[in-house]
Amino acid sequence: MEIIHVSAECYPVAKAGGLGDVVGALPKYQCQSGHIAKVVMPMYRTKFLYENEWTVDFKGSANLGNWFFDFTIIKESTNKLGFDLFLVDINGLLDRQKIYGYDDDSERFTAFQIAVVSWMSSWEHQPDVVHCHDHHCGLIPFMMRYCYDFTRLNLVPSVFTIHNAQYQGWMGWDKSRYIPRWDLWKRGMLEWADSINPLASAVKCASKVTTVSHSYMDELRFNSNGLEKLFEYEKGKCLGILNGIDNDVWDPATDKYLTEHFTVTEVTKGKQKNKEALCIQFGLDPEKPLFVFIGRLVGEKAAEILPDAIKSAIYSTKEQASFLILGSGDTAVEWQFQQMVEPYKGIFNAVIGYDETLSHKMYAGADFLLMPSRVEPCGLNQMYAMRYGTVPIVRSTGGLQDTVVDMGDTDGFGIRFNNATIFDVDYSIGRAVAVYQDKDQMQKMRQYMMQIDHSWESTVDEYTKVYESIQ
Ligand code: ADP
Ligand code: GLC
């Protein structure tokens, strides 16, 4: 099948979180299993852009309301990522340093989607499926069905995958003029709660809707930032497919970001060497269990409870643990972490920012990974941690609930708790410090979880079945 993935992120081209990882991996494994999967995304000013060879695939023009724009679609020349990669260049709109966070993001991503749909409708053939990811591509199923200029795509099936329903891309009705000539009777297919809601529109218009774990699919009907009724109504076409991880990129035996590699047989020694290197770099004690947090410092991740939870755990464990944070986001939380570095020197350290290399070193060198998330559609961090023999400490929600088994249960290897509170995090750290003393148990848990199969190879077929069901 020919599958066109449309996304705002794709690792290693541009990544802000797990969406990038998924779109950088799923198409590669789809191609390996015999499909023709392609990715189209905006052309940002990234390192990847400047370091690779490109050919021009298409030149076109379109309107965003009254604004006429030209766009160019370039293709990476060497199939470096294992699939065809196309970037949409719209001068002045997409060619910026960051992926998101600009005042004109609605204009940027609407223009991107118009360019993608115009490009696809110029083809002589039609793809078997257009697979859109998150709200930045949420208007595409609507445009394919109800815009007069794209009638060629009316019958092409579309799949919409929700990686995060907290962000929906809301736009006021004044921006409806951006959408190319459309059937005004279909206004309801764009709308939710009096505004244009690209995520809701995609749920209504796509042939099938998936999200990235089974539990999150269930949760959306009760907690989806205002869309609960929509998910209840559309549940017939919605299903959860747990994300995989890219075992080529995330392998402690070959990881290009690590200097000390290890396999399941020498996990204890291998992790200790990685931990020592980290502890030297960050002034921590390698004899104590090392707890890390890697991620966006936002409410969904319950990042704001971590500073106090860590202080509390430092006290309750009598300083028998070390902590290292890597993340950025909410400036108040960043500030709190920075304020802790000096008073807790030798026990706590934090790097505020985004650092791919350091994240790999932390998965490899840590003993425990903290994920107190309030909302976690899937979560890749806990799966990376498991592959690197790091025990995940997670709140029981979404994909965390689907992938982590508490060490108190049969075949358990992780630590789960119910509430995103200081008490639950502190208590769980206490459980971790206690089990850390039992070297045999730690080794058993590490070896067990390193061998759990979360590869994309085993997941690709689930998407194929979805595509087949809508042909
Ligand atoms: P989300 O997409 O909600 O942020 P996921 O768990 O799905 O959460 O994926 C997060 C991805 O982003 C992982 O690959 C993680 O290692 C990476 N990541 C998050 N924050 C940082 C950071 N500050 N530096 C490096 N990598 C990060
Ligand atoms: C989102 C979710 C995260 C998920 C990722 C990839 O960013 O917050 O839980 O793992 O997408 O699907």
Side-chain angles (χ1 to χ4, degrees), residues 387-400:
R387 184 133 166 89
Y388 286 63
T390 299
V391 177
I393 302 181
V394 305
R395 188 172 95 76
S396 297
T397 186
L400 299 176

Side-chain angles (χ1 to χ4, degrees), residues 9 15-22 163-164 243 250 294-297 300-301 326-328 351-360 363 371 375-382 384:
E9 297 180 35
K15 162 177 165 184
L19 168 64
D21 286 349
V22 171
H163 296 261
N164 196 333
N243 280 334
W250 298 92
I294 301 165
R296 295 180 291 121
L297 303 178
E300 286 159 71
K301 305 283 177 194
L326 168 63
S328 61
V351 175
I352 303 301
Y354 188 93
D355 187 335
E356 193 74 30
T357 308
L358 178 58
S359 74
H360 285 244
Y363 291 117
M371 283 186 88
V375 181
E376 198 60 82
C378 176
L380 298 173
N381 296 20
Q382 82 281 11
Y384 298 147

Side-chain angles (χ1 to χ4, degrees), residues 150-362:
F150 309 131
T151 45
R152 276 180 57 75
L153 299 173
N154 274 178
L155 298 178
V156 175
S158 58
V159 171
F160 182 65
T161 294
I162 299 169
H163 296 261
N164 196 333
Q166 294 300 108
Y167 308 98
Q168 300 169 5
W170 312 269
M171 294 196 260
W173 274 105
D174 55 320
K175 296 195 175 171
S176 62
R177 66 182 191 281
Y178 293 160
I179 302 169
R181 295 183 311 121
W182 50 283
D183 178 352
L184 295 175
W185 289 101
K186 299 295 184 234
R187 181 185 160 107
M189 301 303 262
L190 286 172
E191 178 160 23
W192 194 261
D194 296 332
S195 50
I196 297 177
N197 185 319
L199 190 109
S201 171
V203 173
K204 294 177 189 185
C205 299
S207 325
K208 279 270 179 194
V209 176
T210 70
T211 188
V212 289
S213 71
H214 302 278
S215 291
Y216 188 58
M217 189 80 258
D218 296 339
E219 281 171 22
L220 286 172
R221 302 214 303 279
F222 308 100
N223 177 16
S224 50
N225 209 1
L227 301 185
E228 296 76 11
K229 287 207 174 85
L230 177 65
F231 285 109
E232 178 59 37
Y233 184 73
E234 296 284 10
K235 65 183 173 200
K237 67 169 174 188
C238 297
L239 81 158
I241 300 179
L242 186 71
N243 280 334
I245 59 171
D246 190 337
N247 280 348
D248 297 342
V249 177
W250 298 92
D251 182 352
T254 55
D255 190 322
K256 68 173 181 185
Y257 297 109
L258 301 185
T259 41
E260 296 292 344
H261 293 113
F262 59 92
T263 60
V264 68
T265 45
E266 71 259 14
V267 53
T268 306
K269 219 165 81 199
K271 284 189 73 66
Q272 186 62 24
K273 282 191 186 157
N274 279 284
K275 178 157 98 172
E276 280 162 12
L278 266 184
C279 288
I280 291 172
Q281 189 179 351
F282 292 102
L284 303 169
D285 180 351
E287 294 313 312
K288 293 178 184 168
L290 176 61
F291 292 76
V292 299
F293 172 88
I294 301 165
R296 295 180 291 121
L297 303 178
V298 294
E300 286 159 71
K301 305 283 177 194
E304 83 292 351
I305 65 166
L306 279 176
D308 284 341
I310 290 172
K311 284 182 207 163
S312 173
I314 289 173
Y315 177 76
S316 61
T317 62
K318 303 193 177 57
E319 302 190 1
Q320 282 319 300
S322 311
F323 298 88
L324 182 60
I325 305 292
L326 168 63
S328 61
D330 187 336
T331 44
V333 182
E334 292 180 355
W335 185 83
Q336 273 183 291
F337 280 134
Q338 279 161 334
Q339 293 307 303
M340 287 171 63
V341 173
E342 201 42 44
Y344 294 101
K345 211 171 174 171
I347 307 172
F348 173 90
N349 214 330
V351 175
I352 303 301
Y354 188 93
D355 187 335
E356 193 74 30
T357 308
L358 178 58
S359 74
H360 285 244
K361 291 185 170 166
M362 287 168 71

Side-chain angles (χ1 to χ4, degrees), residues 367-379:
D367 296 298
F368 300 96
L369 174 91
L370 293 166
M371 283 186 88
S373 310
R374 291 197 172 84
V375 181
E376 198 60 82
C378 176

